[in-house]
Amino acid sequence: MRYPKSPFVGNPGLEGEILKVNTAGLAPLLEWLCLTPRVTTYRVNTRRTCVEECKRTVVDKLAAIYGQKAPKVYALSRLTDVLCIDPLDDENIRPDPGLREVIVDTTCGAALLRGAHIYAPGVLAMESNTQVNEMVNVFADLSGKCKRGSTARYDSSQKIFVGQGRTLMQRYQLFNNSDKPATGVAVEMQSNVSGVPVLGDLSNSDILLQNLPSIVCVHVLAPQPGERVLDMCAAPGNKTSHIAEIMNDVGSVVALDSSASRVRNMRPRLCSYQSITTHVFDSTKAAAADLLPTPSTLSDPPFPRASFDRILLDAPCSGLGNRPQLSSNIKRPKILQSYPHVQRRLFAQAVELLRPDGILVYSTCTVTEAECECIVAWALKKFPELRLVDATPRWGGSGLSLPDLDVSKSRLLQRFGPGTFDGDGFETVGFFIAKFQKVA
């Protein structure tokens, strides 16, 4: 699909930051960021079930919705806990002029293009007299100017058609001004213009909707049963649970996050894992240089130096790898430039907490050079006890080479971005992975 205008155009500072990662020019990267990854991936909890069992369940679900047009569902030979769903054949879906319209925000619009339904908080406007079980055209408001609760048809050149759905709620339920905002699915999508199957989210204790690079990231960390592992920025906990599953829930997985609400939300999903403990804590202060390892100091943060065998630093970042990007309203250059400062502070703590011979994986869901390869180059110069090792299993492409990060080192990195494809030939979101070992 094509959008009326890239959300990044007209922001020279932002364009300059993004341009650093694409030597072929700015336009191809901006177009790539605005397009939807068309393959859907689920991670299978192999401690509870197997990929083949989950595949049968998903195949039956798709057959019930699409019949003979159901897309292909398949496993990956090199990642034995991943289930993939191909896109539908393009049907050239267009808005039906006879249908009423629903307007959603850009966050909701991006989710719809990846196969989601519309939840009540994402609805900005619904035309008057729209009834339950009525088919509607769904548009995303790129400008952010649609007034919430509008009853008239929203006339704007900066709205894009994303698909069609069937309403499950009426206006009075969505915009009632009560102390308890409406929740649940407001519009059940029937089709979208990206061709991604509309399944909502099939996640449960057996399978989890997750981007392929995020799954690869934990396989690169390769935690072993019995080890002590730290997830420094754990919320929403998807990688945390994956770590515990790979360890067969044997050992210790410590999950930190600075947000009390995010930790509170992820705890119910992690409570079935005996190896996981969660803490509300700022990981920029996680290392306590004056503490000696004792049973009590290893239970709560801050922790003594060299406390962990493996550390995952999935750092806070600009999120410019998330696709499709329908809005850049929080991607101002000054905000972009603030992330590397936090990333370096977290990284320094991780190095202190890592044991000799231990493994540190640094990852981001962005594509900017400053938050990816530049952090690696800085780390190798700042911490001589670290050496870069190959980020395998490899599904993305190599990293970018810099004046202080030669080609031999950049090939050890793993970057998912424009022109880099996974091992089966399909595109993913943008992502970056670097793997380090601390020299004994």
Side-chain angles (χ1 to χ4, degrees):
M1 64 176 293
R2 297 292 183 270
Y3 304 127
K5 179 182 177 182
S6 166
F8 307 104
V9 171
N11 191 336
L14 177 58
E15 290 179 359
E17 289 295 314
I18 299 175
L19 181 58
K20 294 176 183 177
V21 306
N22 193 49
T23 56
L26 184 63
L29 176 59
L30 295 184
E31 179 180 17
W32 180 84
L33 287 171
C34 292
L35 297 177
T36 307
R38 284 161 55 82
V39 176
T40 304
T41 51
Y42 279 86
R43 191 189 90 225
V44 176
N45 183 347
T46 53
R47 292 190 68 247
R48 292 179 52 90
T49 185
C50 65
V51 170
E52 281 304 313
E53 181 64 30
C54 290
K55 178 180 176 181
R56 285 190 288 269
T57 301
V58 174
V59 166
D60 290 344
K61 176 81 171 179
L62 287 166
I65 299 173
Y66 296 105
Q68 293 183 343
K69 293 184 178 181
K72 178 184 176 184
V73 182
Y74 55 97
L76 298 177
S77 59
R78 294 193 293 120
L79 287 178
T80 57
D81 54 2
V82 177
L83 193 63
C84 302
I85 306 172
D86 266 354
L88 299 161
D89 292 334
D90 289 332
E91 297 180 357
N92 198 25
I93 300 166
R94 299 178 182 275
D96 184 339
L99 300 180
R100 292 186 175 89
E101 294 182 4
V102 167
I103 308 297
V104 300
D105 59 35
T106 52
T107 300
C108 180
L112 302 186
L113 292 172
R114 299 203 65 184
H117 297 301
I118 303 176
Y119 284 81
V123 179
L124 293 178
M126 178 183 283
E127 289 190 67
S128 296
N129 300 317
T130 303
Q131 305 299 310
V132 172
N133 290 322
E134 182 176 337
M135 287 294 295
V136 291
N137 293 321
V138 179
F139 290 84
D141 172 33
L142 300 186
S143 66
K145 296 180 180 180
C146 178
K147 185 177 179 181
R148 186 171 183 81
S150 296
T151 60
R153 178 164 293 195
Y154 179 55
D155 185 18
S156 171
S157 62
Q158 285 297 300
K159 70 178 185 182
I160 59 166
F161 176 64
V162 294
Q164 294 170 343
R166 180 174 60 88
T167 58
L168 302 183
M169 292 184 184
Q170 290 183 271
R171 284 187 44 79
Y172 77 91
Q173 296 171 281
L174 295 167
F175 311 112
N176 55 17
N177 295 321
S178 72
D179 294 334
K180 294 183 178 180
T183 59
V185 177
V187 179
E188 187 177 70
M189 295 297 290
Q190 305 296 302
S191 61
N192 61 49
V193 297
S194 67
V196 174
V198 178
L199 286 171
D201 186 353
L202 302 180
S203 296
N204 55 44
S205 57
D206 291 339
I207 60 173
L208 177 72
L209 181 65
Q210 193 171 12
N211 289 317
L212 182 70
S214 295
I215 301 172
V216 172
C217 179
V218 177
H219 282 287
V220 171
L221 182 67
Q224 302 299 307
E227 290 185 330
R228 184 173 174 81
V229 182
L230 175 64
D231 188 350
M232 294 186 72
C233 305
N238 296 339
K239 295 183 183 71
T240 313
S241 61
H242 195 193
I243 291 169
E245 288 165 18
I246 291 179
M247 294 170 62
N248 203 27
D249 207 17
V250 176
S252 175
V253 182
V254 179
L256 305 182
D257 200 274
S258 60
S259 167
S261 61
R262 290 198 296 263
V263 172
R264 186 167 54 248
N265 289 336
M266 76 178 181
R267 276 175 175 159
R269 296 196 294 272
L270 302 178
C271 63
S272 62
Y273 299 89
Q274 295 182 355
S275 61
I276 297 176
T277 56
T278 59
H279 304 275
V280 179
F281 198 81
D282 180 359
S283 285
T284 64
K285 304 172 184 177
D290 57 340
L291 287 180
L292 295 176
T294 67
S296 61
T297 59
L298 290 178
S299 60
D300 296 303
F303 303 105
R305 289 180 175 177
S307 290
F308 295 93
D309 300 296
R310 295 177 197 257
I311 296 177
L312 174 61
L313 174 51
D314 188 45
C317 68
S318 58
L320 277 171
N322 295 320
R323 302 170 63 210
Q325 294 271 347
L326 302 187
S327 172
S328 66
N329 60 343
I330 62 168
K331 307 297 192 306
R332 295 189 297 272
K334 184 175 289 187
I335 295 177
L336 273 181
Q337 293 159 9
S338 71
Y339 286 108
H341 299 292
V342 177
Q343 291 156 357
R344 291 189 188 103
R345 290 176 63 196
L346 289 164
F347 202 105
Q349 293 287 289
V351 174
E352 283 198 48
L353 291 169
L354 191 63
R355 290 176 178 166
D357 287 327
I359 295 295
L360 166 62
V361 167
Y362 172 81
S363 64
T364 63
C365 58
T366 192
V367 294
T368 67
E369 181 183 293
E371 299 173 81
C372 300
E373 287 86 358
C374 286
I375 295 292
V376 173
W378 165 83
L380 293 174
K381 183 177 181 180
K382 176 78 172 178
F383 305 105
E385 66 268 38
L386 292 183
R387 69 181 183 94
L388 200 60
V389 294
D390 199 2
T392 55
R394 184 163 294 279
W395 289 79
S398 298
L400 305 173
S401 56
L402 306 176
D404 48 354
L405 188 71
D406 61 34
V407 174
S408 65
K409 289 186 175 67
S410 66
R411 285 175 179 167
L412 299 174
L413 308 173
Q414 193 165 175
R415 172 182 276 271
F416 296 81
T420 65
F421 297 90
D422 76 308
D424 281 284
F426 59 79
E427 285 188 303
T428 69
V429 297
F431 206 85
F432 178 82
I433 305 171
K435 184 175 183 177
F436 302 85
Q437 185 171 33
K438 190 173 185 178
V439 178

